[in-house]
Amino acid sequence: MKRREILKTLTMFPLAGAIGNSGSIVQAAPLPKRDIFSEFGLRTFINASGYFTSLSGSLMNDEAFEAIRDASKHFCRLEEVQDKVGARIASLLHAESAMVTAGAFSALMLGMAGILSGNDAKKASQIPFLEGTGIKSEVILQKAHNDGYAHALKNCGVKLITVTTAKELENAITDQTAMMYFINYQASLGEIQHAEWLKIAKKHKIPTMIDMAADLPPKENLWKFHDMGFDLVCVSGGKFMRGPQSTGILSGKKDLIAAARLNAPPRGNNIGRGMKVNKEEVFALYFALERFINSDQDQEWKMLEDRITVIANAASSVKGVKAEVIPLLLINRIPTLNISWDKSLIKLDNLATNLREGNPSIEVMGGPGGSINVTTHMLKADEVKIVAQRIKDELTKAMV
Ligand SMILES: *Cc1c(COP(=O)(O)O)cnc(C)c1O
């Protein structure tokens, strides 16, 4: 059909009403209710484990969900969405500029690519094949900070140079050094702390990036690292913040964010083209962030601990069971309860499996020696008692 004929056809339905999401000109009838999980034979579960990617992350908060619904009804220019939303995020985070990325891993990768390319589109098109391009090719980090997430940087073609002491760091800096990378949750395992890292970077005029994807709460971490002087900060949107699982934030220096966006959709012929976030996710992340920042985190923390107490009391009411709050882990610092039992009184080797396979299905973390670890931040209010009761029942059943 020619364009003119299509237009003519469209005008034949003047009373057809709004164009629905399907793109159809005909007024859509209300959609039939479907239960998508049972339709696909999937079992849902109560998540007393945490926001793990393999468990589908966190559940979006209502603000994020509503933003997706509203944003999905209209078109607008993606670059403008990132401009406007990015500016609002930046002001909340004490940063010059910000963008929404496809997760924190994507923030690492796009931030890295931006540092390598600057505002040169040709250079962006050459990443990750840096040889012979004149692009700097080395990133320095502490040995203790070289975990799996640093792979995001290697994807851009750089070589990771690991150091242990400040002296080694100074010696490792060359004219090939593109960036100095720091990962916050591993800070206590490394010798060089934030301030010293930044001081040396500034002295040599090397851009810095910090990954703090695992470090919410507290919310103050969202701006702390900008205030300290890191040039780029990477955050996950789908963890404690409860934005879409596929979102993150890259925030920092204006020129570096502009350069990162040169490596990201809607632009193509670059390393980031496959890491698309559309307007729905950008808005959803923003509203999740806003809610997170406005939340009363002391009260929420107390709620998490109160829930732990409910579960701990139920479990330890069974003879031979020990339920104790364990020290916060390095990563994802959330109140965590360890439940273990005297094996001479309770014959139970597979509590985590029993909970998963029972009804309702409950997901917990495995702990040392067959014990389990439970967290409460992914629970809905009415699930706390259910988890407490199910754990108590399983333990009671196994008493010898
Ligand atoms: C979870 C995590 C990431 C990846 O975050 P995504 O949003 O899932 O991409 C990166 N770094 C650290 C330290 C993390 O904990």
Side-chain angles (χ1 to χ4, degrees), residues 60-98:
M60 267 183 280
N61 60 31
D62 293 344
E63 284 83 348
F65 178 74
E66 287 299 323
I68 286 181
R69 256 174 33 126
D70 289 351
S72 70
K73 302 251 160 64
H74 299 282
F75 291 102
C76 57
R77 296 192 181 281
L78 188 57
E79 292 271 47
E80 287 179 13
V81 179
Q82 285 277 15
D83 285 345
K84 305 270 188 203
V85 178
R88 289 269 282 272
I89 294 175
S91 79
L92 290 174
L93 269 46
H94 307 188
E96 286 179 16
S97 186

mmCIF file of all heavy atoms in Angstrom, residues 60-98:
data_model
loop_
_atom_site.group_PDB
_atom_site.id
_atom_site.type_symbol
_atom_site.label_atom_id
_atom_site.label_comp_id
_atom_site.label_asym_id
_atom_site.label_seq_id
_atom_site.Cartn_x
_atom_site.Cartn_y
_atom_site.Cartn_z
ATOM 1 N N MET A 60 9.784 -4.791 41.309
ATOM 2 C CA MET A 60 9.694 -3.349 41.129
ATOM 3 C C MET A 60 8.708 -2.746 42.125
ATOM 4 O O MET A 60 7.671 -3.351 42.408
ATOM 5 C CB MET A 60 9.152 -3.036 39.733
ATOM 6 C CG MET A 60 10.214 -2.817 38.715
ATOM 7 S SD MET A 60 9.448 -2.359 37.150
ATOM 8 C CE MET A 60 8.941 -3.932 36.540
ATOM 9 N N ASN A 61 9.029 -1.563 42.630
ATOM 10 C CA ASN A 61 8.033 -0.901 43.481
ATOM 11 C C ASN A 61 6.925 -0.295 42.604
ATOM 12 O O ASN A 61 7.053 -0.216 41.376
ATOM 13 C CB ASN A 61 8.688 0.105 44.423
ATOM 14 C CG ASN A 61 9.433 1.194 43.687
ATOM 15 O OD1 ASN A 61 9.063 1.575 42.591
ATOM 16 N ND2 ASN A 61 10.493 1.688 44.303
ATOM 17 N N ASP A 62 5.832 0.101 43.241
ATOM 18 C CA ASP A 62 4.656 0.586 42.494
ATOM 19 C C ASP A 62 4.984 1.806 41.640
ATOM 20 O O ASP A 62 4.473 1.954 40.532
ATOM 21 C CB ASP A 62 3.523 0.954 43.462
ATOM 22 C CG ASP A 62 2.988 -0.285 44.172
ATOM 23 O OD1 ASP A 62 3.273 -1.403 43.710
ATOM 24 O OD2 ASP A 62 2.289 -0.111 45.190
ATOM 25 N N GLU A 63 5.829 2.680 42.184
ATOM 26 C CA GLU A 63 6.189 3.880 41.434
ATOM 27 C C GLU A 63 6.824 3.509 40.093
ATOM 28 O O GLU A 63 6.504 4.098 39.053
ATOM 29 C CB GLU A 63 7.180 4.735 42.251
ATOM 30 C CG GLU A 63 6.528 5.509 43.385
ATOM 31 C CD GLU A 63 6.320 4.685 44.659
ATOM 32 O OE1 GLU A 63 6.474 3.446 44.620
ATOM 33 O OE2 GLU A 63 5.992 5.281 45.689
ATOM 34 N N ALA A 64 7.724 2.542 40.115
ATOM 35 C CA ALA A 64 8.407 2.113 38.882
ATOM 36 C C ALA A 64 7.411 1.487 37.920
ATOM 37 O O ALA A 64 7.402 1.779 36.719
ATOM 38 C CB ALA A 64 9.524 1.124 39.228
ATOM 39 N N PHE A 65 6.548 0.645 38.465
ATOM 40 C CA PHE A 65 5.573 -0.054 37.621
ATOM 41 C C PHE A 65 4.617 0.928 36.942
ATOM 42 O O PHE A 65 4.343 0.841 35.747
ATOM 43 C CB PHE A 65 4.797 -1.062 38.473
ATOM 44 C CG PHE A 65 3.755 -1.787 37.693
ATOM 45 C CD1 PHE A 65 4.117 -2.779 36.790
ATOM 46 C CD2 PHE A 65 2.417 -1.456 37.830
ATOM 47 C CE1 PHE A 65 3.145 -3.427 36.042
ATOM 48 C CE2 PHE A 65 1.447 -2.118 37.090
ATOM 49 C CZ PHE A 65 1.814 -3.107 36.192
ATOM 50 N N GLU A 66 4.125 1.896 37.711
ATOM 51 C CA GLU A 66 3.212 2.893 37.140
ATOM 52 C C GLU A 66 3.906 3.717 36.064
ATOM 53 O O GLU A 66 3.302 4.076 35.045
ATOM 54 C CB GLU A 66 2.683 3.831 38.241
ATOM 55 C CG GLU A 66 1.668 3.177 39.160
ATOM 56 C CD GLU A 66 0.416 2.685 38.435
ATOM 57 O OE1 GLU A 66 -0.032 3.346 37.496
ATOM 58 O OE2 GLU A 66 -0.084 1.603 38.812
ATOM 59 N N ALA A 67 5.171 4.017 36.284
ATOM 60 C CA ALA A 67 5.921 4.798 35.294
ATOM 61 C C ALA A 67 6.027 4.025 33.978
ATOM 62 O O ALA A 67 5.911 4.602 32.895
ATOM 63 C CB ALA A 67 7.310 5.134 35.829
ATOM 64 N N ILE A 68 6.207 2.712 34.065
ATOM 65 C CA ILE A 68 6.292 1.901 32.848
ATOM 66 C C ILE A 68 4.972 1.956 32.100
ATOM 67 O O ILE A 68 4.930 2.156 30.882
ATOM 68 C CB ILE A 68 6.672 0.451 33.199
ATOM 69 C CG1 ILE A 68 8.150 0.397 33.579
ATOM 70 C CG2 ILE A 68 6.387 -0.495 32.022
ATOM 71 C CD1 ILE A 68 8.680 -0.959 33.922
ATOM 72 N N ARG A 69 3.865 1.805 32.836
ATOM 73 C CA ARG A 69 2.545 1.859 32.196
ATOM 74 C C ARG A 69 2.315 3.205 31.523
ATOM 75 O O ARG A 69 1.933 3.269 30.363
ATOM 76 C CB ARG A 69 1.461 1.637 33.250
ATOM 77 C CG ARG A 69 0.853 0.253 33.191
ATOM 78 C CD ARG A 69 -0.096 0.066 34.340
ATOM 79 N NE ARG A 69 -0.759 1.327 34.688
ATOM 80 C CZ ARG A 69 -2.071 1.469 34.765
ATOM 81 N NH1 ARG A 69 -2.845 0.465 34.495
ATOM 82 N NH2 ARG A 69 -2.574 2.615 35.129
ATOM 83 N N ASP A 70 2.583 4.286 32.233
ATOM 84 C CA ASP A 70 2.340 5.623 31.668
ATOM 85 C C ASP A 70 3.248 5.884 30.468
ATOM 86 O O ASP A 70 2.804 6.395 29.449
ATOM 87 C CB ASP A 70 2.583 6.706 32.738
ATOM 88 C CG ASP A 70 1.505 6.692 33.810
ATOM 89 O OD1 ASP A 70 0.500 5.965 33.624
ATOM 90 O OD2 ASP A 70 1.668 7.391 34.823
ATOM 91 N N ALA A 71 4.517 5.538 30.620
ATOM 92 C CA ALA A 71 5.479 5.863 29.566
ATOM 93 C C ALA A 71 5.238 5.040 28.301
ATOM 94 O O ALA A 71 5.610 5.447 27.208
ATOM 95 C CB ALA A 71 6.901 5.636 30.080
ATOM 96 N N SER A 72 4.602 3.898 28.467
ATOM 97 C CA SER A 72 4.426 3.013 27.310
ATOM 98 C C SER A 72 3.324 3.489 26.368
ATOM 99 O O SER A 72 3.127 2.921 25.310
ATOM 100 C CB SER A 72 4.130 1.592 27.775
ATOM 101 O OG SER A 72 2.842 1.534 28.348
ATOM 102 N N LYS A 73 2.636 4.552 26.723
ATOM 103 C CA LYS A 73 1.484 4.977 25.923
ATOM 104 C C LYS A 73 1.839 5.974 24.827
ATOM 105 O O LYS A 73 1.014 6.268 23.976
ATOM 106 C CB LYS A 73 0.438 5.627 26.844
ATOM 107 C CG LYS A 73 -0.046 4.706 27.956
ATOM 108 C CD LYS A 73 -1.471 4.269 27.729
ATOM 109 C CE LYS A 73 -1.824 3.026 28.500
ATOM 110 N NZ LYS A 73 -1.794 3.153 29.936
ATOM 111 N N HIS A 74 3.046 6.542 24.870
ATOM 112 C CA HIS A 74 3.379 7.592 23.905
ATOM 113 C C HIS A 74 4.814 7.461 23.423
ATOM 114 O O HIS A 74 5.649 6.873 24.101
ATOM 115 C CB HIS A 74 3.200 8.979 24.549
ATOM 116 C CG HIS A 74 1.803 9.240 24.986
ATOM 117 N ND1 HIS A 74 0.800 9.601 24.128
ATOM 118 C CD2 HIS A 74 1.241 9.140 26.213
ATOM 119 C CE1 HIS A 74 -0.335 9.730 24.804
ATOM 120 N NE2 HIS A 74 -0.095 9.445 26.074
ATOM 121 N N PHE A 75 5.061 8.065 22.274
ATOM 122 C CA PHE A 75 6.427 8.151 21.759
ATOM 123 C C PHE A 75 7.093 9.413 22.255
ATOM 124 O O PHE A 75 6.434 10.423 22.483
ATOM 125 C CB PHE A 75 6.416 8.213 20.228
ATOM 126 C CG PHE A 75 5.986 6.932 19.585
ATOM 127 C CD1 PHE A 75 4.701 6.786 19.090
ATOM 128 C CD2 PHE A 75 6.874 5.874 19.468
ATOM 129 C CE1 PHE A 75 4.295 5.607 18.492
ATOM 130 C CE2 PHE A 75 6.474 4.690 18.872
ATOM 131 C CZ PHE A 75 5.183 4.552 18.381
ATOM 132 N N CYS A 76 8.401 9.357 22.398
ATOM 133 C CA CYS A 76 9.171 10.587 22.497
ATOM 134 C C CYS A 76 10.605 10.256 22.126
ATOM 135 O O CYS A 76 10.925 9.089 21.883
ATOM 136 C CB CYS A 76 9.071 11.217 23.882
ATOM 137 S SG CYS A 76 9.581 10.148 25.189
ATOM 138 N N ARG A 77 11.446 11.265 22.047
ATOM 139 C CA ARG A 77 12.826 11.021 21.592
ATOM 140 C C ARG A 77 13.671 10.498 22.756
ATOM 141 O O ARG A 77 13.745 11.131 23.803
ATOM 142 C CB ARG A 77 13.435 12.302 21.033
ATOM 143 C CG ARG A 77 12.695 12.769 19.812
ATOM 144 C CD ARG A 77 13.386 13.865 19.038
ATOM 145 N NE ARG A 77 12.526 14.205 17.933
ATOM 146 C CZ ARG A 77 12.439 13.471 16.813
ATOM 147 N NH1 ARG A 77 13.233 12.428 16.631
ATOM 148 N NH2 ARG A 77 11.582 13.800 15.879
ATOM 149 N N LEU A 78 14.307 9.371 22.508
ATOM 150 C CA LEU A 78 15.064 8.712 23.580
ATOM 151 C C LEU A 78 16.191 9.606 24.109
ATOM 152 O O LEU A 78 16.434 9.649 25.319
ATOM 153 C CB LEU A 78 15.621 7.373 23.071
ATOM 154 C CG LEU A 78 16.258 6.480 24.119
ATOM 155 C CD1 LEU A 78 15.293 6.149 25.255
ATOM 156 C CD2 LEU A 78 16.749 5.175 23.484
ATOM 157 N N GLU A 79 16.857 10.324 23.216
ATOM 158 C CA GLU A 79 17.956 11.208 23.650
ATOM 159 C C GLU A 79 17.427 12.277 24.616
ATOM 160 O O GLU A 79 18.085 12.629 25.585
ATOM 161 C CB GLU A 79 18.599 11.900 22.441
ATOM 162 C CG GLU A 79 19.358 10.959 21.528
ATOM 163 C CD GLU A 79 20.818 10.775 21.932
ATOM 164 O OE1 GLU A 79 21.080 10.544 23.133
ATOM 165 O OE2 GLU A 79 21.671 10.843 21.040
ATOM 166 N N GLU A 80 16.213 12.769 24.318
ATOM 167 C CA GLU A 80 15.648 13.806 25.195
ATOM 168 C C GLU A 80 15.251 13.228 26.549
ATOM 169 O O GLU A 80 15.368 13.903 27.581
ATOM 170 C CB GLU A 80 14.429 14.455 24.531
ATOM 171 C CG GLU A 80 14.815 15.374 23.390
ATOM 172 C CD GLU A 80 13.605 16.010 22.688
ATOM 173 O OE1 GLU A 80 12.485 15.942 23.228
ATOM 174 O OE2 GLU A 80 13.804 16.545 21.603
ATOM 175 N N VAL A 81 14.772 11.983 26.544
ATOM 176 C CA VAL A 81 14.425 11.339 27.818
ATOM 177 C C VAL A 81 15.682 11.223 28.678
ATOM 178 O O VAL A 81 15.678 11.576 29.865
ATOM 179 C CB VAL A 81 13.809 9.943 27.588
ATOM 180 C CG1 VAL A 81 13.467 9.284 28.921
ATOM 181 C CG2 VAL A 81 12.564 10.033 26.724
ATOM 182 N N GLN A 82 16.754 10.742 28.072
ATOM 183 C CA GLN A 82 18.003 10.612 28.843
ATOM 184 C C GLN A 82 18.511 11.982 29.315
ATOM 185 O O GLN A 82 18.986 12.101 30.441
ATOM 186 C CB GLN A 82 19.087 9.907 28.000
ATOM 187 C CG GLN A 82 18.881 8.397 27.856
ATOM 188 C CD GLN A 82 19.421 7.590 29.059
ATOM 189 O OE1 GLN A 82 19.713 8.123 30.123
ATOM 190 N NE2 GLN A 82 19.549 6.277 28.876
ATOM 191 N N ASP A 83 18.372 13.010 28.463
ATOM 192 C CA ASP A 83 18.787 14.376 28.868
ATOM 193 C C ASP A 83 18.027 14.825 30.109
ATOM 194 O O ASP A 83 18.618 15.242 31.101
ATOM 195 C CB ASP A 83 18.454 15.395 27.763
ATOM 196 C CG ASP A 83 19.410 15.315 26.576
ATOM 197 O OD1 ASP A 83 20.476 14.689 26.710
ATOM 198 O OD2 ASP A 83 19.066 15.882 25.516
ATOM 199 N N LYS A 84 16.704 14.744 30.003
ATOM 200 C CA LYS A 84 15.861 15.330 31.063
ATOM 201 C C LYS A 84 15.914 14.496 32.342
ATOM 202 O O LYS A 84 16.056 15.034 33.438
ATOM 203 C CB LYS A 84 14.395 15.422 30.612
ATOM 204 C CG LYS A 84 14.199 16.163 29.316
ATOM 205 C CD LYS A 84 13.995 17.637 29.573
ATOM 206 C CE LYS A 84 13.604 18.314 28.265
ATOM 207 N NZ LYS A 84 13.865 19.713 28.187
ATOM 208 N N VAL A 85 15.747 13.184 32.197
ATOM 209 C CA VAL A 85 15.770 12.331 33.383
ATOM 210 C C VAL A 85 17.181 12.320 33.981
ATOM 211 O O VAL A 85 17.351 12.381 35.201
ATOM 212 C CB VAL A 85 15.277 10.906 33.053
ATOM 213 C CG1 VAL A 85 15.362 10.010 34.282
ATOM 214 C CG2 VAL A 85 13.850 10.941 32.522
ATOM 215 N N GLY A 86 18.173 12.284 33.101
ATOM 216 C CA GLY A 86 19.568 12.298 33.560
ATOM 217 C C GLY A 86 19.862 13.530 34.406
ATOM 218 O O GLY A 86 20.543 13.451 35.432
ATOM 219 N N ALA A 87 19.328 14.673 33.984
ATOM 220 C CA ALA A 87 19.579 15.920 34.731
ATOM 221 C C ALA A 87 18.952 15.839 36.129
ATOM 222 O O ALA A 87 19.563 16.263 37.120
ATOM 223 C CB ALA A 87 19.021 17.114 33.961
ATOM 224 N N ARG A 88 17.737 15.270 36.206
ATOM 225 C CA ARG A 88 17.082 15.140 37.520
ATOM 226 C C ARG A 88 17.859 14.176 38.417
ATOM 227 O O ARG A 88 18.044 14.420 39.610
ATOM 228 C CB ARG A 88 15.649 14.625 37.350
ATOM 229 C CG ARG A 88 14.684 15.623 36.732
ATOM 230 C CD ARG A 88 13.981 16.476 37.792
ATOM 231 N NE ARG A 88 12.904 15.777 38.464
ATOM 232 C CZ ARG A 88 11.634 15.726 38.055
ATOM 233 N NH1 ARG A 88 11.274 16.336 36.950
ATOM 234 N NH2 ARG A 88 10.733 15.082 38.739
ATOM 235 N N ILE A 89 18.293 13.058 37.821
ATOM 236 C CA ILE A 89 19.069 12.086 38.608
ATOM 237 C C ILE A 89 20.357 12.738 39.105
ATOM 238 O O ILE A 89 20.726 12.616 40.278
ATOM 239 C CB ILE A 89 19.399 10.829 37.770
ATOM 240 C CG1 ILE A 89 18.113 10.074 37.426
ATOM 241 C CG2 ILE A 89 20.387 9.919 38.509
ATOM 242 C CD1 ILE A 89 18.329 8.887 36.499
ATOM 243 N N ALA A 90 21.015 13.463 38.211
ATOM 244 C CA ALA A 90 22.290 14.102 38.576
ATOM 245 C C ALA A 90 22.100 15.027 39.772
ATOM 246 O O ALA A 90 22.914 15.019 40.700
ATOM 247 C CB ALA A 90 22.860 14.859 37.380
ATOM 248 N N SER A 91 21.022 15.792 39.776
ATOM 249 C CA SER A 91 20.863 16.735 40.887
ATOM 250 C C SER A 91 20.569 15.995 42.194
ATOM 251 O O SER A 91 21.013 16.405 43.260
ATOM 252 C CB SER A 91 19.822 17.807 40.570
ATOM 253 O OG SER A 91 18.530 17.290 40.741
ATOM 254 N N LEU A 92 19.865 14.864 42.116
ATOM 255 C CA LEU A 92 19.634 14.073 43.334
ATOM 256 C C LEU A 92 20.933 13.463 43.863
ATOM 257 O O LEU A 92 21.085 13.230 45.058
ATOM 258 C CB LEU A 92 18.639 12.935 43.050
ATOM 259 C CG LEU A 92 17.171 13.313 42.801
ATOM 260 C CD1 LEU A 92 16.377 12.083 42.384
ATOM 261 C CD2 LEU A 92 16.577 13.935 44.061
ATOM 262 N N LEU A 93 21.852 13.162 42.955
ATOM 263 C CA LEU A 93 23.067 12.425 43.326
ATOM 264 C C LEU A 93 24.301 13.315 43.514
ATOM 265 O O LEU A 93 25.415 12.800 43.625
ATOM 266 C CB LEU A 93 23.369 11.370 42.237
ATOM 267 C CG LEU A 93 22.760 9.985 42.429
ATOM 268 C CD1 LEU A 93 21.301 10.015 42.814
ATOM 269 C CD2 LEU A 93 22.960 9.136 41.172
ATOM 270 N N HIS A 94 24.123 14.622 43.501
ATOM 271 C CA HIS A 94 25.247 15.568 43.612
ATOM 272 C C HIS A 94 26.253 15.353 42.475
ATOM 273 O O HIS A 94 27.453 15.509 42.682
ATOM 274 C CB HIS A 94 26.012 15.435 44.937
ATOM 275 C CG HIS A 94 25.163 15.514 46.168
ATOM 276 N ND1 HIS A 94 25.702 15.585 47.430
ATOM 277 C CD2 HIS A 94 23.829 15.542 46.360
ATOM 278 C CE1 HIS A 94 24.729 15.642 48.341
ATOM 279 N NE2 HIS A 94 23.575 15.612 47.696
ATOM 280 N N ALA A 95 25.762 14.991 41.314
ATOM 281 C CA ALA A 95 26.673 14.754 40.185
ATOM 282 C C ALA A 95 26.447 15.825 39.131
ATOM 283 O O ALA A 95 25.407 16.479 39.113
ATOM 284 C CB ALA A 95 26.407 13.382 39.586
ATOM 285 N N GLU A 96 27.423 16.001 38.241
ATOM 286 C CA GLU A 96 27.235 16.969 37.148
ATOM 287 C C GLU A 96 26.221 16.448 36.140
ATOM 288 O O GLU A 96 25.459 17.186 35.553
ATOM 289 C CB GLU A 96 28.566 17.197 36.421
ATOM 290 C CG GLU A 96 29.558 18.034 37.192
ATOM 291 C CD GLU A 96 30.872 18.198 36.432
ATOM 292 O OE1 GLU A 96 30.930 17.937 35.203
ATOM 293 O OE2 GLU A 96 31.860 18.571 37.085
ATOM 294 N N SER A 97 26.259 15.127 35.933
ATOM 295 C CA SER A 97 25.449 14.548 34.860
ATOM 296 C C SER A 97 25.200 13.074 35.168
ATOM 297 O O SER A 97 25.879 12.492 36.017
ATOM 298 C CB SER A 97 26.220 14.718 33.543
ATOM 299 O OG SER A 97 25.449 14.312 32.449
ATOM 300 N N ALA A 98 24.206 12.492 34.499
ATOM 301 C CA ALA A 98 23.897 11.074 34.746
ATOM 302 C C ALA A 98 23.158 10.487 33.555
ATOM 303 O O ALA A 98 22.554 11.229 32.762
ATOM 304 C CB ALA A 98 23.053 10.920 36.011
#
